[in-house]
Amino acid sequence: MRSTHHTHETSDSAIAMVDEQGTVLGWTQAAERLVGYPAGDVVGRSAALVVPSFAKAPTISAFVERCRARRGWSGTTAVRHRNGRLLTVSLRISMLSGRGETVRWLVSVTDVRTLSRETTHGSVRESLLTRAPIGIVVRDPQLRCTWVNDTMESHDGIPRDQRLGRRTAESLPAAKAEAFEAALRRTLRTGTPTVHEIRRRLPTGPRREHILTASLFCLQGADGKALGVCAISVDVTESRRAQERLAILSEAGTRLGGTLDVTRTSQELADLAVPLFADYAAVDLEHSVTTGEGAAVHIGPTGERLPVFRRAGLASVRHGAPESPWRLGEPVPVPPVAPFTDVLRTGTSHLEPVLDLAAGTWAAQDPVRARKIREHGMHSLMVVPIRARGVLLGVAFFLRTEDPVPFQEDDLLLAEQLVSRAALSLDNARLYAREHATALALQCNLLPHRLRGGAAVDAASRYLPADLDIGVGGDWFDVIPLSGARVALVVGDVVGHGINATAAMGRLRTAVHMLAEMELPPDELLARLDATLERLSDGVADRRDQLTAVTGATCLYAVYDPATRTCTMAGAGHPPPAIVDPRGRVTFPELPTGTPLGVGLGTPFEAVEFELPEGSLLALYTDGLVETRDHDIEAGMDRLGAALAEPGRSLEELCSRVMETVPGPAPSDDVTLLLVRTRSLGPAQVASWTLPGDRTAVRSARRLTAGRLAEWGLSGLEDSTELIVSELVTNAVRHSTGPIGLRLIRHQVLTCEVFDSNDCLPRAHTARTTDENGRGLFLVDRLSRRWDARPEPGGKVVWSEQDLAPPPSRGPAPDRPEARGAPARDAVGAGWLPERPPEPAVACPTLPW
């Protein structure tokens, strides 16, 4: 119980006390302000002086008898001002009892003209204007009770006989009585009405704290001196509780739902309940809510299998919440007995004002919970289901241990309102968690599971999704093997987060793979990718059911050739890579920034070429690694460079070291890192020649190829490789002018490359039996594991790959002379040349390699 002093509820009603004959015995300053009469002009005279209706009554005694029968009277009447004018007022007469059978009447008058001008009234004033019960106590200057009405006993539980003649100290605890009597003396001394709030528990009935608001008025005699003080009290318990509930719900509106994290929202609910109305609170969420996976549990029959719950929120007035047998994140078993199964089955709350541990009760059948109930004095329980749209999200438990007052229906109503607000946030978080889990699973499935750097690079990577509030983004990375032992390195970042960004990432990654297979240079590949993303965005924007369209993406694309140790890269609005040389020096090359993909600016992309020493380290990343809310991108790049400046570490160690520099436990954007360490192919692995652009080139190419294969110990590939070289060089002679380049690369496979000046890429087609040409590329296809062509500056390269260990023979190719037992001859297209003696290769202008 606490008592406080307020002034905002002071009533401006005129108060007077009269006897059974209608004679005024006491007057107040408010009465003088209302009707203009001072106490000396009214006290000792008939109340009819001010209230004309009293004089119109048949007899005063008859009026008094009617008031006795009703224990008072209220209504609208007129009072006469000292200047003679009549005022329409609300009049209330309350009966007071003293010792024996003596009776007095307390008259309160309020000018009705003030009612329309004021929008807020104090609790006492509102009660005086209505038939609402009010408690009245009149005390003498020594603060002894002299008069009291019957209602007062229901306010504080003290009978009239025990109150009369006694001071406040005999009915209130010492500290509260002292504060109340100080307010009474202040009113007696100043004559100014005041308001005092008293909180106390009734000695009978439920152990619930009651809140009384008492307005204090000084009663003056004819000489203007204080005759005593009148305290008019109103029980505002319910209205104050309603205000407190509204305050709690208002606070809940600001504290709940500020995040899409289900565990954080659950903890906010528990923290809000304790200690506002509970001493201990626990929130258990159904398994699918916390993980975002699995089928949702619907309200209804639970069957034999009960849902799986995990503790997601925990709060207590005791440090460490010792009442809970389970910690946060731990699974919580559901006892297969009421009230829990009833709550899950019906979706309705359970209120147990007094916990019963008697044999046969649910608590007695649950040893773990029963032990905690006894240890910590849990005596009152509420179980509220957390549900939304028919889906069971979890269960909230509220208990009292320190507060001896049992939970009641209004507490349950408040708990249900709080839980319903939390349920909306939890349901949104659940749906978002499902989308997040789906996007994360899609992201993980779309990203490469194994990086294949071939003979060009060693690679390692890390991917860290953004926190749950932000959502999974559209980061991706890749290492794509290309022809000629080269490798493409790519990293990109789709604008936005969520499932749409992830889906767009998947489309872009697929597009990059298709464009990479076309062997496009980096700048041209980004141009094609830009156009592709614009088309995808236009298609998405046309769909009315699509809420979020992808607005762009950044990308960095690089091609590294281990034969020449050159790296060609181009960027589209993406941060530059970090390059660490074998001695540990870190640089961030100045790349043309380029515009992001899909924004529609149409700015051409530019490529830059670097020569990298063997063992160089390249770090490709997204801005989530180097840019945070609190630090700009330059500071992040400095952190990245410092973490990479240890070339002796393995790639995995460097990846872990870099990720440790990411500030905070959960990033606000996806973090992607791709590390590659370059290799090079030495002269013993690469052989290249420049041939004249005439028919002598074919025989020279066959001779040079056979000799190099013998040096490499690959004589088993001599026949097939000579045929492939013959067809490719023949086509170069036939369809181009100028020198022809031939290169053999021995790495994980044997690559044969032929360069010519014609930029028209060849296409394979099926030749008819009557056609003289068109079978050369078909032969290359049958003899190779794969083949294709790529554009190069000044022309093109047609290449083929063969396994180093030749596969089992598939027999001679159809329509070839060998198949008919004829001798092998040089091919030009699909025609045949007569045998010629071999000619040496000639020196020609520099070719691409």
Side-chain angles (χ1 to χ4, degrees):
M1 177 183 68
R2 65 178 183 269
S3 60
T4 54
H5 182 74
H6 303 277
T7 58
H8 66 281
E9 287 189 348
T10 302
S11 173
D12 58 358
S13 298
I15 302 296
M17 189 168 72
V18 302
D19 62 13
E20 291 192 281
Q21 287 71 42
T23 302
V24 179
L25 302 178
W27 198 246
T28 61
Q29 291 180 355
E32 180 179 352
R33 288 194 299 270
L34 179 63
V35 298
Y37 287 101
D41 294 345
V42 178
V43 175
R45 301 178 65 179
S46 172
L49 173 68
V50 179
V51 185
S53 59
F54 284 9
K56 296 178 182 179
T59 62
I60 288 293
S61 59
F63 182 78
V64 168
E65 288 302 322
R66 288 202 300 271
C67 289
R68 275 181 178 273
R70 302 181 188 179
R71 314 297 292 178
W73 183 88
S74 63
T76 302
T77 186
V79 297
R80 181 182 293 108
H81 194 273
R82 187 177 184 182
N83 59 17
R85 60 190 177 91
L86 294 178
L87 304 175
T88 302
V89 297
S90 175
L91 178 70
R92 178 164 180 167
I93 302 175
S94 303
M95 187 175 116
L96 308 178
S97 301
R99 292 189 178 276
E101 298 296 328
T102 56
V103 171
R104 293 290 183 267
W105 303 92
L106 190 79
V107 180
S108 64
V109 178
T110 304
D111 189 351
V112 297
R113 294 178 305 173
T114 64
L115 302 182
S116 60
R117 295 198 302 264
E118 299 180 8
T119 58
T120 304
H121 309 296
S123 300
V124 173
R125 182 162 187 244
E126 291 177 357
S127 299
L128 288 173
L129 293 172
T130 65
R131 294 179 178 271
I134 57 175
I136 304 174
V137 176
V138 177
R139 298 181 182 275
D140 62 18
Q142 288 72 42
L143 304 184
R144 294 185 297 255
C145 176
T146 55
W147 304 96
V148 64
N149 73 340
D150 295 340
T151 304
M152 197 63 207
E153 182 176 351
S154 66
H155 284 183
D156 56 16
I158 302 175
R160 180 180 63 182
D161 294 341
Q162 295 181 17
R163 190 191 309 272
L164 291 171
R166 297 180 180 181
R167 293 177 51 175
T168 309
E170 300 178 47
S171 58
L172 285 176
K176 279 63 181 179
E178 182 178 351
F180 187 44
E181 289 192 351
L184 293 172
R185 292 191 188 95
R186 185 166 51 251
T187 302
L188 283 171
R189 183 176 66 255
T190 64
T192 302
T194 59
V195 173
H196 194 81
E197 183 179 288
I198 304 172
R199 292 178 178 248
R200 61 176 300 164
R201 290 189 175 92
L202 297 182
T204 59
R207 293 185 296 172
R208 167 70 71 177
E209 186 178 61
H210 280 246
I211 306 171
L212 303 178
T213 298
S215 288
L216 310 180
F217 303 89
C218 179
L219 294 174
Q220 299 173 334
D223 55 2
K225 294 182 179 180
L227 294 177
V229 60
C230 173
I232 302 177
S233 62
V234 178
D235 190 335
V236 295
T237 303
E238 293 305 322
S239 63
R240 193 61 54 84
R241 285 180 192 153
Q243 294 174 5
E244 292 174 350
R245 284 197 293 270
L246 288 175
I248 294 173
L249 294 175
S250 176
E251 185 177 359
T254 60
R255 290 176 57 179
L256 292 176
T259 176
L260 289 172
D261 187 336
V262 292
T263 56
R264 195 180 308 173
T265 301
S266 301
Q267 187 60 47
E268 288 171 352
L269 173 59
D271 291 338
L272 187 62
V274 177
L276 287 177
F277 67 92
D279 298 325
Y280 166 76
V283 179
D284 297 339
L285 295 182
E286 195 270 322
H287 178 71
S288 67
V289 178
T290 59
T291 61
E293 301 174 353
V297 175
H298 294 271
I299 301 294
T302 57
E304 296 182 359
R305 294 188 61 184
L306 293 171
V308 177
F309 292 91
R310 288 188 179 274
R311 186 130 295 176
L314 193 60
S316 172
V317 294
R318 295 184 171 100
H319 178 70
E323 302 94 331
S324 177
W326 303 279
R327 300 293 92 190
L328 291 174
E330 292 182 350
V332 179
V334 179
V337 293
F340 303 99
T341 52
D342 290 342
V343 169
L344 301 181
R345 178 176 52 82
T346 64
T348 57
S349 303
H350 171 77
L351 170 63
E352 197 163 344
V354 179
L355 274 174
D356 189 1
L357 290 176
T361 61
W362 71 265
Q365 300 177 47
D366 190 337
V368 176
R369 290 181 172 87
R371 178 173 55 84
K372 289 292 184 178
I373 291 172
R374 292 190 184 94
E375 288 179 356
H376 301 285
M378 302 178 183
H379 63 86
S380 192
L381 167 71
M382 293 188 297
V383 183
V384 181
I386 307 173
R387 61 189 190 277
R389 293 196 288 260
V391 174
L392 178 68
L393 306 177
V395 182
F397 301 89
F398 306 99
L399 291 106
R400 279 186 173 164
T401 57
E402 301 291 333
D403 188 349
V405 180
F407 285 124
Q408 295 184 4
E409 291 293 339
D410 57 346
D411 297 307
L412 182 60
L413 176 62
L414 174 60
E416 289 177 334
Q417 291 173 328
L418 281 179
V419 169
S420 66
R421 296 197 176 201
L424 294 176
S425 300
L426 286 171
D427 190 47
N428 289 334
R430 175 184 70 91
L431 296 176
Y432 187 81
R434 285 182 174 272
E435 179 179 328
H436 183 273
T438 301
L440 184 58
L442 179 61
Q443 181 95 331
C444 293
N445 286 326
L446 290 174
L447 292 176
H449 296 275
R450 184 170 60 91
L451 299 176
R452 297 181 299 157
V457 296
D458 294 319
S461 65
R462 291 290 188 276
Y463 170 70
L464 180 62
D467 64 31
L468 191 59
D469 287 346
I470 302 297
V472 176
D475 287 12
W476 88 94
F477 61 92
D478 236 324
V479 177
I480 306 172
L482 302 177
S483 63
R486 299 171 308 134
V487 66
L489 311 173
V490 59
V491 64
D493 183 2
V494 175
V495 175
H497 296 85
I499 193 71
N500 292 315
T502 304
M505 177 274 287
R507 293 194 293 266
L508 280 178
R509 181 169 181 256
T510 301
V512 169
H513 269 267
M514 294 179 63
L515 294 173
E517 288 188 2
M518 296 172 62
E519 306 275 2
L520 299 175
D523 52 347
E524 186 177 345
L525 182 141
L526 290 181
R528 298 275 192 97
L529 193 62
D530 182 34
T532 300
L533 184 56
E534 284 192 58
R535 290 194 298 271
L536 290 175
S537 299
D538 292 341
V540 170
D542 293 338
R543 292 179 52 190
R544 296 183 179 180
D545 61 336
Q546 188 70 35
L547 299 179
T548 305
V550 176
T551 58
T554 65
C555 183
L556 180 69
Y557 185 84
V559 175
Y560 173 69
D561 187 345
T564 60
R565 300 197 313 274
T566 58
C567 182
T568 307
M569 62 182 67
H574 203 84
I579 300 179
V580 187
D581 66 18
R583 300 175 60 184
R585 291 177 297 187
V586 182
T587 59
F588 291 89
E590 294 185 3
L591 294 178
T593 304
T595 58
L597 304 172
V599 298
L601 296 181
T603 305
F605 299 97
E606 298 180 48
V608 177
E609 185 174 281
F610 303 94
E611 184 172 341
L612 301 176
E614 182 177 5
S616 296
L617 182 71
L618 274 75
L620 284 70
Y621 53 90
T622 56
D623 57 2
L625 178 67
V626 295
E627 191 173 22
T628 65
R629 297 187 182 101
D630 303 324
H631 302 88
D632 58 20
I633 193 170
E634 285 78 12
M637 292 170 69
D638 291 341
R639 288 197 313 271
L640 173 62
L644 293 174
E646 295 191 29
R649 293 179 178 267
S650 69
L651 292 181
E652 290 295 334
E653 289 175 333
L654 286 174
C655 280
S656 300
R657 182 178 174 85
V658 170
M659 298 305 287
E660 290 172 358
T661 67
V662 179
S668 58
D669 195 5
D670 285 14
V671 175
T672 300
L673 173 67
L674 173 63
L675 292 184
V676 297
R677 182 168 281 135
T678 63
R679 299 175 180 176
S680 64
L681 299 177
Q685 295 176 276
V686 181
S688 58
W689 304 277
T690 302
L691 306 173
D694 56 32
R695 298 191 175 191
T696 64
V698 177
R699 190 174 303 277
S700 298
R702 291 169 65 98
R703 176 180 56 81
L704 295 170
T705 298
R708 184 49 56 99
L709 292 181
E711 292 180 17
W712 285 345
L714 299 177
S715 298
L717 296 177
E718 181 177 341
D719 291 342
S720 60
T721 307
E722 284 189 18
L723 285 174
I724 292 173
V725 168
S726 296
E727 294 296 343
L728 298 183
V729 172
T730 298
N731 283 340
V733 170
R734 184 182 182 90
H735 299 292
S736 69
T737 60
I740 297 169
L742 171 64
R743 183 166 72 169
L744 299 179
I745 304 173
R746 179 176 61 84
H747 51 111
Q748 285 143 344
V749 295
L750 176 64
T751 301
C752 173
E753 297 181 336
V754 174
F755 170 85
D756 64 63
S757 60
N758 188 342
D759 58 4
C760 181
L761 301 181
R763 292 186 304 166
H765 65 276
T766 303
R768 293 172 296 183
T769 56
T770 58
D771 290 342
E772 296 184 1
N773 301 311
R775 297 179 177 84
L777 292 179
F778 177 73
L779 176 64
V780 172
D781 181 71
R782 292 296 302 270
L783 295 175
S784 307
R785 66 194 301 266
R786 64 174 187 149
W787 74 274
D788 209 332
R790 66 175 184 265
E792 289 283 352
K796 68 175 181 296
V797 168
V798 184
W799 55 268
S800 72
E801 290 180 354
Q802 300 175 79
D803 293 317
L804 296 180
S809 175
R810 292 183 290 182
D815 296 327
R816 295 294 296 163
E818 297 91 329
R820 301 188 298 268
R825 292 176 291 177
D826 292 330
V828 176
W832 302 97
L833 295 176
E835 294 283 350
R836 288 187 179 182
E839 298 181 10
V842 298
C844 294
T846 303
L847 294 174
W849 45 72

